[in-house]
Amino acid sequence: RRTDAFTNVRGNNRMTGLPMGDHAGSITWFGDGEISLVGVDRQHRRQGVATALLDHARKADPSVHHSTSLTSDGKAWSQARP
């Protein structure tokens, strides 16, 4: 699956991944660029969805950056994808 083929901008500071019509995940961020939430549906995890969403979010808003308040999964992801 091509992760760059299913990212869709939905309003300011939000993107949602939609592979083949299914909701895969979303990313939201505050006005200063700090990521407020990244969520990927279980069936789509470990397939590059969050990374694709982050890449597209940064194209739309170059100030997008990881928060300092992270879950353990979020911390591992932020270290793998600064």
Side-chain angles (χ1 to χ4, degrees), residues 3-76:
T3 56
D4 62 350
F6 60 82
T7 303
N8 178 26
V9 177
R10 286 189 13 173
N12 292 335
N13 301 347
R14 179 179 173 85
M15 294 192 164
T16 302
L18 300 163
M20 297 181 208
D22 294 329
H23 178 267
S26 63
I27 184 170
T28 60
W29 60 95
F30 298 111
D32 68 354
E34 180 182 354
I35 296 171
S36 59
L37 177 68
V38 177
V40 176
D41 293 345
R42 287 192 189 279
Q43 66 198 37
H44 298 291
R45 290 184 185 164
R46 308 268 184 230
Q47 297 177 36
V49 173
T51 299
L53 288 167
L54 176 62
D55 290 344
H56 285 276
R58 286 181 169 164
K59 286 178 186 174
D61 182 350
S63 73
V64 171
H65 61 278
H66 293 287
S67 173
T68 56
S69 176
L70 301 168
T71 64
S72 58
D73 285 344
K75 185 175 182 180

